[in-house]
């Protein structure tokens, strides 16, 4: 039985942060305003996902962009109401769910932007399993902490706890299926 995502939110501990070089990252520009604690769940595998927050905050190098989420590497799964999509598949006009660690809401995408950027892989210990995410190494990329604050990937350290949830891998065209699968 599929977990209800709102019941599955948890916090995982960052175990490893690795700079992996340049790759294509995906920015999702929504046709509505996002709060600083709203984001999307993305992950390298179907084992789990990490909440990547909107750019709705000022940083040393970026003004706030209340409509954008710098979601990470184009190969990643995007969790959407029990299904997954690849970030690379997103297009303007699609509707997506955004989450704030408690609630979800559906809003339309205005455009999708893909560009080459320096990427970092973050590995997290979730509920009895490893979860990983690949994101741009930029202070515009933030994660939700248990106390409700955001933490930039540039400030992230081993031992920090960030919002995530564990899932069971095994999908075909985004739909959950029963199969034996290993993802790394």
């Amino acid at each position: 039985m599929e977990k209800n995502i709102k019941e599955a939110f948890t916090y995982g501990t960052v175990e490893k942060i690795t700079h992996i070089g340049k790759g294509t990252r995906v920015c999702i520009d929504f046709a509505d305003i996002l709060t600083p604690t709203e984001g999307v769940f993305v992950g390298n595998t179907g084992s789990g996902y990490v909440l990547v927050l909107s750019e709705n905050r000022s940083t040393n190098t970026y003004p706030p962009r209340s409509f954008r989420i710098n979601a990470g590497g184009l190969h990643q799964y995007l969790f959407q109401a029990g299904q997954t999509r690849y970030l690379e598949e997103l297009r303007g006009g699609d509707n997506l769910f955004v989450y704030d660690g408690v609630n979800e809401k559906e809003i339309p995408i205005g455009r999708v932007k893909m560009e080459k950027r320096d990427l970092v892989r973050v590995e997290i210990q979730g509920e009895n399993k490893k979860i990983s995410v690949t994101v741009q190494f930029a202070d515009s990329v933030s994660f939700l902490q248990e106390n409700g604050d955001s933490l930039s990937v540039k400030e992230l350290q081993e031992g920090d706890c960030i919002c995530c949830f564990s899932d069971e891998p095994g999908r075909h065209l985004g739909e959950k299926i029963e199969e034996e699968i290993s993802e790394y």
Side-chain angles (χ1 to χ4, degrees), residues 20-38:
I20 60 172
K22 286 203 183 295
T24 301
R25 68 92 164 112
V26 176
C27 276
I28 308 166
D29 289 350
F30 288 91
D32 203 354
I33 294 172
L34 303 168
T35 70
T37 58
E38 288 178 322

Side-chain angles (χ1 to χ4, degrees), residues 62-167:
Y62 292 95
R65 291 184 173 93
S66 62
F67 55 86
R68 176 172 293 161
I69 298 174
N70 186 342
L74 82 164
H75 69 282
Q76 292 190 109
Y77 287 126
L78 169 73
F79 186 86
Q80 289 288 289
Q83 298 184 331
T84 59
R85 298 175 69 182
Y86 290 111
L87 287 177
E88 191 271 335
E89 297 173 339
L90 301 178
R91 296 294 180 264
D94 292 349
N95 285 311
L96 292 182
F97 287 100
V98 296
Y99 305 91
D100 67 4
V102 177
N103 300 302
E104 64 185 22
K105 72 178 181 185
E106 190 174 20
I107 53 179
I109 297 175
R111 76 170 173 166
V112 176
K113 197 168 85 157
M114 296 182 202
E115 299 167 308
K116 296 273 189 199
R117 294 291 186 264
D118 289 322
L119 300 177
V120 47
R121 178 183 172 94
V122 179
E123 296 178 28
I124 297 131
Q125 179 63 49
E127 291 178 351
N128 303 315
K129 65 175 69 172
K130 303 279 187 202
I131 298 171
S132 66
V133 66
T134 299
V135 294
Q136 181 182 349
F137 189 65
D139 59 4
S140 63
V141 176
S142 297
F143 305 105
L144 183 65
Q145 299 178 93
E146 225 169 335
N147 65 5
D149 290 342
S150 64
L151 183 63
S152 162
V153 71
K154 283 193 160 184
E155 300 168 331
L156 192 66
Q157 297 178 25
E158 292 176 8
D160 287 333
C161 290
I162 57 177
C163 186
C164 62
F165 83 94
S166 294
D167 199 6

Side-chain angles (χ1 to χ4, degrees), residues 47-59:
S47 292
Y49 314 92
V50 174
L51 185 63
V52 178
L53 299 177
S54 75
E55 292 186 14
N56 194 349
R57 69 191 53 73
S58 293
T59 70

